[in-house]
Amino acid sequence: MDLILCHTTADFDALGAAVGLTRLLPGSKIVLTGGSHPAVRDFLALHRDEYPLIERRSVNPEKIRSLTVVDTQQRDRLGKAAEWLDLPHVTEIIVYDHHLGQESDIPARRSHISSVGATTTLIVELLQQQQISLTPTEATVMALGIHVDTGSLTFDQSTPRDALALAWLMQQDASLSVISTYRDPGLSLQLQQLLTESLENLEYLCLHGYTVAWVTLKTDGFVPGLSSLASELVELTEIDAILLANEYSLSESDSRLTVIGRSQIPKTNLNLLFQPLGGGGHSQAASLNLRGVDSQAILKQLLDGVKAQIRHPPTARDLMSSPVRTILPETTIAEAQRILLRYGQSGLSVVDAQGQLVGIISRRDIDIALHHGFSHAPVKGYMTTNLKTITPDTTLPQIESMMVTYDIGRLPVLENGQLVGIITRTDVLRELHQQRDENEGGGKAKRGKSNINLPQLQNKLAPQLWQLLTTASQEAEKRGWHLYLVGGAVRDLLLADAAGSLMIKDIDLVVDGFHKSADVGAGVELAKALQQLYPAARLEIHGAFQTAALLWHKDAELDSLWVDIATARTEFYPYPAANPEVEASSIRQDLYRRDFTINAIALRLTTPRSGELLDFFGGLLDLEAKQIRVLHANSFIEDPTRIYRGVRFAVRFGFQIEPQTEEFIRYAINSGVYDRTAQENSRTPALQTRLKTELKYILEAPYWKSALQLLDNLGALQCIHPTLKLDAELLRQLRLLERCLRRFDPQPTIIHWEMRLETLIAHLTSQYRAKVAKNLQLSEDSIARLKNLAQVQTEVMTLLPTFQPPSQVVQLLRQYDLPMLILIAVQSPREIRHQIWEYFTVWANMQPLLNGNDLKKLGYKPGPQYRQILDDVVAATLDGVIKDKTEAEEFLANHYPQ
């Protein structure tokens, strides 16, 4: 099997080059190694069957003969398919690319890299040389590759070679109409005339706050580029969906109908509507072509279908944040400012002693009061009392209208006179942005809320795990709560292959009950209910916030599973590197407090919206882009362990740390904030116990070397100690450490990750070692070992070179334990290391030629002298004085006469 690999998130240039190569390499297949650009997805939704594309999961690696990589020189851009580059039987690897000056890590036998605007140009030139002609569909996608990567020959990197390649592809009948559809060059003169006609004849209807338009155009013949016209109408009129019909005839008996559909309405799926009529596309863009039909009947059928798909818009209950942060009218301006700063809010609701809403005070109001010196004044003198409020059933369009009409940034949500939530401009903008992105073509990842196929997830998970989640959701529903699977479990599910039995060992569940009641103990209550159903699990309740955990140990079905169950919460760091202070909140706030976007995704398990994904920060996009992106600019200042987690995730998944996130990391480290907070506060858990935990996760993982190198590149080893760097000497010591551990401790009797950490700390000057070990709260043995290392190493390095008989070496070294000798070995010159190595491999294992029974037979009375006698026999054996049992007996007769 000969494979052509496109890079992850393939663009038209990668696809075009790959298609051209299938003509140069007959019988080869194209693999999209990990997604594609939205426009490429749209294109392949209609044209996939015209190219020899296969899925990565359908490839049998054992049958791969050759690999050809297009449009990249970096293996990490090939996703999981990069593993194929290392297959021993795959010796033919070729690279085609147009990016100069890049360091390639692909073991290619041949590379074709040239300074042109598109990789496709290189393939076109080879096709011309071999006089191979193309089909129109092949020429079209290759032309798209050059158009897109050169900006239709307007980008600076465009060359005459690209222009010549495009000209040849036109000779091969590349479809200009298809190219214009996906390249979007603007409207032709004919389309501009039809645009005017469409604007004059558009018909509209409004449903659930959304506007749907339709128009029928009659032309003399086929009009290319109608999809561009439909998109232009959507943009100009700000409608939410359009059906653009075009009637034309090729002859008196041959009437044709083309319908283009576009929709920005969440949950609508035009593909489902167009497919039964012979058309197709994707959820937000579809088209069809029919002959001899009643155009108005077809248009009405499609229009009715769109109307049926439009769901009721979100309500305040769906969008609001709850519970609401409130203050009393007597609260001072200074205290109100402190609360705003603590929770990062732009305003506060003011309630009276009975909990009735009496006003709202914004950050702007507080800033003005502070400016005039009224920090001790009560907020009641500055709050807004002329309030506009809404109910939980107020729809999004109504909310948006109120905010625009009255220029209001915060709308309180009242139910039966009680304040149950708050909606801000940010909530509205986030929802509107999500609706624009949702259901976008080609399966594009989006922010906000989206539905996922629960049966597909069920197929990924081990059945017993799925049953546990189902049971938990049923117990939550009984109590009127929402239950979400959050964090790493969701991430791992989304990254997992479509089939298999994923057995996640660590699951986080979050209960959101604030639409019903502010019960901070909801997580504990749910955990207790589950333990009644799973008596094999051990229940732990910990923390002031009443979180709970269910733990199984080597269970026949669930193995060693850990399930954390908590009520949704928000958090605040009183100072950098502290433990956060947490308070009950909503699922939205719970996700907002997390570290990285890929860990801030929640999957709703409870009905009626089971399968709904909450992704307010673009985590799905970052999973697709294979990047680690932090949620907040101050995240690393508040908690330096997030740096280590980010590195761990990046190396584990083969992701890149997003550039802005890397800048935040470097700023936090270089700011000196960690040193200052350690000096000012006696407890800095994020630089102590929590940092040790992250180091454990990294140093016990198979990728620990790569993680350490990335941490060093970021300067993050300074979190352990400001002077720690992964220099060449430390790298050498770590390599030696691994050799020692493999040879001296193959069946681990010591903890290997701790030895790696001790080796890092031992690289510091002796005055810092014990202090760093205590700060990380290592074991007493580790602290003592690092404290005494310098003294012991000096003694060993001074005495060993003077010892000649092996017995002297053994007598010196056996007083130290294995970890201490390993630390000395990795830090010592080769001669010393060689003696320690020989001690472990030969001398320490030497057994005496005689034993106690032999001494008894020889007439020696049992007693303490046995130990000394046998030690002397071993020493004589080590030094070559005696070689067998007979010589050993003679040795005793001479040295221990009876």
Side-chain angles (χ1 to χ4, degrees):
M1 180 181 292
D2 300 312
L3 299 181
I4 301 167
L5 306 183
C6 298
H7 55 70
T8 55
T9 318
D11 54 18
F12 272 118
D13 187 27
L15 180 61
V19 168
L21 277 169
T22 61
R23 299 302 307 277
L24 292 166
L25 304 170
S28 57
K29 304 294 184 182
I30 300 171
V31 178
L32 302 181
T33 60
S36 54
H37 281 200
V40 175
R41 292 196 187 100
D42 293 348
F43 178 84
L44 289 178
L46 297 175
H47 300 280
R48 175 179 294 274
D49 294 340
E50 299 173 27
Y51 308 112
L53 288 161
I54 61 172
E55 294 189 5
R56 178 181 56 80
R57 62 183 177 178
S58 68
V59 174
N60 182 349
E62 298 301 321
K63 295 185 177 180
I64 299 174
R65 292 186 306 186
S66 70
L67 295 171
T68 303
V69 180
V70 294
D71 204 32
T72 184
Q73 301 168 53
Q74 307 299 321
R75 64 186 298 143
D76 61 1
R77 294 204 64 198
L78 298 177
K80 292 185 178 180
E83 299 170 355
W84 299 339
L85 299 171
D86 302 320
L87 295 173
H89 61 278
V90 178
T91 57
E92 183 70 10
I93 300 176
I94 307 170
V95 170
Y96 290 89
D97 193 23
H98 70 117
H99 301 101
L100 298 182
Q102 290 193 356
E103 235 180 90
S104 176
D105 56 0
I106 293 176
R109 289 188 63 183
R110 287 182 287 150
S111 295
H112 303 273
I113 302 168
S114 186
S115 179
V116 289
T119 303
T120 305
T121 298
L122 302 179
I123 310 304
V124 168
E125 291 174 342
L126 293 174
L127 291 168
Q128 289 177 291
Q129 290 172 14
Q130 298 188 28
Q131 298 182 347
I132 298 175
S133 60
L134 302 176
T135 66
T137 54
E138 292 168 339
T140 298
V141 72
M142 295 183 73
L144 270 169
I146 299 175
H147 270 289
V148 171
D149 255 36
T150 65
S152 294
L153 304 179
T154 63
F155 292 168
D156 289 343
Q157 68 267 27
S158 303
T159 69
R161 293 167 63 184
D162 300 302
L164 292 171
L166 272 178
W168 184 78
L169 290 169
M170 290 179 67
Q171 292 175 341
Q172 301 295 307
D173 293 329
S175 171
L176 297 182
S177 63
V178 173
I179 293 171
S180 66
T181 298
Y182 295 96
R183 178 62 191 92
D184 190 22
L187 298 180
S188 64
L189 179 60
Q190 183 184 20
L191 289 177
Q192 292 176 36
Q193 294 169 346
L194 291 175
L195 175 62
T196 302
E197 181 181 340
S198 299
L199 291 172
E200 293 173 352
N201 295 286
L202 270 180
E203 297 182 74
Y204 303 88
L205 68 83
C206 291
L207 184 64
H208 298 321
Y210 299 109
T211 302
V212 180
W214 65 96
V215 66
T216 301
L217 302 173
K218 297 184 178 182
T219 61
D220 294 333
F222 171 75
V223 179
L226 282 176
S227 58
S228 298
L229 175 59
S231 300
E232 188 75 11
L233 284 169
V234 171
E235 184 174 344
L236 287 176
T237 60
E238 297 184 356
I239 54 180
D240 301 298
I242 188 172
L243 294 172
L244 173 65
N246 176 214
E247 293 181 5
Y248 63 97
S249 298
L250 297 181
S251 67
E252 291 185 4
S253 60
D254 189 6
S255 64
R256 302 290 181 98
L257 173 67
T258 296
V259 182
I260 306 293
R262 293 289 184 270
S263 175
Q264 299 178 8
I265 303 174
K267 313 302 183 183
T268 55
N269 191 324
L270 297 181
N271 185 47
L272 290 178
L273 298 179
F274 279 60
Q275 270 189 342
L277 296 172
H282 54 78
S283 60
Q284 287 195 304
S287 64
L288 60 82
N289 294 284
L290 299 173
R291 301 173 62 175
V293 296
D294 183 342
S295 61
Q296 294 309 302
I298 295 295
L299 193 59
K300 183 179 184 304
Q301 178 181 339
L302 292 173
L303 185 60
D304 290 342
V306 172
K307 289 159 60 177
Q309 286 186 344
I310 297 176
R311 300 185 181 183
H312 196 283
T315 63
R317 192 184 299 278
D318 301 316
L319 304 177
M320 69 186 188
S321 296
S322 176
V324 183
R325 196 75 52 197
T326 61
I327 57 175
L328 294 171
E330 293 75 25
T331 305
T332 65
I333 291 291
E335 177 63 12
Q337 184 201 34
R338 187 190 71 80
I339 295 172
L340 282 182
L341 178 64
R342 174 172 182 146
Y343 297 106
Q345 297 183 345
S346 59
L348 292 168
S349 299
V350 185
V351 299
D352 61 19
Q354 288 72 45
Q356 297 294 308
L357 181 69
V358 295
I360 285 181
I361 188 164
S362 68
R363 182 183 296 275
R364 181 171 53 186
D365 299 329
I366 292 173
D367 288 343
I368 291 173
L370 290 172
H371 176 72
H372 292 293
F374 291 101
S375 61
H376 298 292
V379 297
K380 62 184 178 183
Y382 293 87
M383 68 185 186
T384 300
T385 56
N386 183 21
L387 302 177
K388 299 293 182 183
T389 63
I390 55 178
T391 71
D393 296 323
T394 306
T395 64
L396 176 61
Q398 292 171 322
I399 295 168
E400 184 183 6
S401 177
M402 286 184 68
M403 286 187 167
V404 173
T405 301
Y406 298 106
D407 190 22
I408 299 173
R410 302 171 68 81
L411 282 173
V413 184
L414 300 183
E415 187 172 30
N416 299 323
Q418 294 297 310
L419 181 64
V420 295
I422 195 85
I423 289 182
T424 68
R425 283 195 185 99
T426 302
D427 297 324
V428 172
L429 290 173
R430 182 187 291 118
E431 185 69 21
L432 292 174
H433 179 73
Q434 168 216 328
Q435 290 184 6
R436 284 192 294 269
D437 285 349
E438 199 162 34
N439 289 335
E440 204 157 291
K444 175 183 175 182
K446 49 260 183 192
R447 293 189 187 194
K449 301 176 184 177
S450 59
N451 284 332
I452 196 164
N453 190 319
L454 274 183
Q456 287 183 358
L457 285 188
Q458 182 177 351
N459 292 335
K460 291 183 180 183
L461 268 182
Q464 60 270 33
L465 264 188
W466 184 257
Q467 182 57 51
L468 173 64
L469 295 179
T470 301
T471 302
S473 65
Q474 291 169 349
E475 291 298 314
E477 287 175 8
K478 289 179 184 178
R479 294 159 175 79
W481 298 332
H482 299 320
L483 184 66
Y484 294 89
L485 180 68
V486 300
V490 182
R491 177 201 65 219
D492 292 347
L493 267 176
L494 294 172
L495 288 174
D497 291 333
S501 296
L502 182 63
M503 187 65 190
I504 300 174
K505 296 296 184 70
D506 192 350
I507 289 178
D508 287 326
L509 298 175
V510 170
V511 182
D512 184 4
F514 288 104
H515 64 295
K516 287 282 186 179
S517 62
D519 183 4
V520 297
V524 173
E525 182 179 336
L526 181 60
K528 289 180 176 177
L530 283 175
Q531 206 229 1
Q532 295 298 314
L533 301 172
Y534 289 90
R538 186 174 85 254
L539 174 65
E540 289 186 359
I541 300 173
H542 45 82
F545 190 67
Q546 292 281 289
T547 58
L550 290 172
L551 295 84
W552 286 260
H553 181 65
K554 295 183 178 179
D555 184 77
E557 287 192 351
L558 296 172
D559 197 16
S560 296
L561 175 65
W562 183 303
V563 179
D564 269 313
I565 307 177
T567 309
R569 49 191 168 157
T570 187
E571 66 184 23
F572 171 77
Y573 286 82
Y575 56 86
N579 277 331
E581 298 175 4
V582 296
E583 297 179 6
S585 187
S586 64
I587 184 63
R588 187 187 296 264
Q589 290 297 314
D590 193 277
L591 295 177
Y592 185 76
R593 72 181 178 85
R594 295 176 182 269
D595 48 16
F596 302 102
T597 59
I598 63 172
N599 294 331
I601 308 173
L603 173 66
R604 179 160 161 162
L605 299 173
T606 44
T607 57
R609 299 197 303 275
S610 58
E612 181 180 75
L613 273 180
L614 302 188
D615 174 28
F616 302 114
F617 312 104
L620 290 173
L621 288 170
D622 289 331
L623 281 176
E624 184 180 273
K626 298 185 181 299
Q627 67 178 7
I628 305 296
R629 183 164 57 86
V630 75
L631 263 65
H632 319 294
N634 291 320
S635 186
F636 301 118
I637 289 177
E638 292 178 335
D639 187 355
T641 61
R642 287 173 175 159
I643 299 173
Y644 281 66
R645 281 202 295 278
V647 166
R648 176 158 58 90
F649 294 141
V651 178
R652 173 186 169 189
F653 298 122
F655 286 14
Q656 295 294 318
I657 296 178
E658 180 257 347
Q660 181 70 72
T661 298
E662 182 174 332
E663 288 183 22
F664 289 149
I665 291 174
R666 295 187 186 278
Y667 175 80
I669 292 169
N670 296 330
S671 68
V673 65
Y674 303 143
D675 290 336
R676 291 196 301 272
T677 195
Q679 293 170 7
E680 296 169 0
N681 302 279
S682 58
R683 293 189 69 252
T684 53
L687 292 169
Q688 297 170 327
T689 51
R690 299 210 319 266
L691 178 57
K692 174 192 171 184
T693 299
E694 283 303 319
L695 283 165
K696 174 181 180 293
Y697 289 146
I698 288 173
L699 294 174
E700 68 183 3
Y703 49 77
W704 66 268
K705 290 180 184 177
S706 299
L708 282 183
Q709 289 172 335
L710 182 52
L711 285 169
D712 180 65
N713 178 263
L714 294 169
L717 293 181
Q718 294 180 39
C719 295
I720 301 174
H721 191 270
T723 65
L724 184 59
K725 293 186 181 301
L726 194 65
D727 55 25
E729 174 57 25
L730 180 53
L731 283 170
R732 185 187 71 86
Q733 292 177 13
L734 289 169
R735 286 194 297 270
L736 290 171
L737 170 69
E738 293 308 295
R739 290 178 58 194
C740 290
L741 292 176
R742 285 196 303 270
R743 185 62 185 269
F744 306 150
D745 197 37
Q747 303 297 325
T749 59
I750 58 177
I751 302 174
H752 288 193
W753 76 263
E754 284 187 348
M755 284 304 304
R756 295 176 186 124
L757 180 54
E758 287 187 35
T759 302
L760 293 177
I761 298 173
H763 191 58
L764 302 171
T765 56
S766 58
Q767 67 191 91
Y768 299 127
R769 294 168 180 167
K771 181 179 179 181
V772 170
K774 288 179 181 177
N775 183 64
L776 293 175
Q777 300 183 19
L778 300 189
S779 66
E780 292 297 327
D781 286 345
S782 292
I783 295 171
R785 190 157 42 245
L786 290 163
K787 180 180 180 180
N788 299 325
L789 176 60
Q791 177 184 342
V792 173
Q793 187 174 15
T794 299
E795 179 180 347
V796 169
M797 292 182 66
T798 301
L799 294 176
L800 270 188
T802 67
F803 290 164
Q804 293 300 323
S807 59
Q808 289 183 296
V809 176
V810 172
Q811 186 176 7
L812 173 64
L813 297 184
R814 69 183 177 187
Q815 60 185 310
Y816 307 117
D817 61 10
L818 174 61
M820 176 66 85
L821 289 177
I822 288 178
L823 288 180
I824 293 172
V826 300
Q827 288 199 337
S828 299
R830 179 178 297 177
E831 295 77 13
I832 300 296
R833 191 165 62 253
H834 178 75
Q835 287 181 289
I836 295 175
W837 187 278
E838 197 160 5
Y839 165 73
F840 277 125
T841 56
V842 180
W843 300 333
N845 300 318
M846 183 71 70
Q847 298 296 319
L849 294 170
L850 301 173
N851 57 33
N853 290 330
D854 294 324
L855 296 183
K856 192 173 181 180
K857 289 178 182 177
L858 292 172
Y860 292 95
K861 293 182 179 180
Q865 67 171 342
Y866 269 30
R867 179 71 174 176
Q868 182 63 50
I869 292 173
L870 293 177
D871 284 348
D872 287 346
V873 171
V874 170
T877 307
L878 288 169
D879 296 339
V881 175
I882 58 178
K883 299 181 180 59
D884 53 35
K885 193 171 183 178
T886 301
E887 291 183 358
E889 292 174 354
E890 293 175 359
F891 175 83
L892 289 185
N894 293 331
H895 291 82
Y896 291 95
Q898 299 188 55

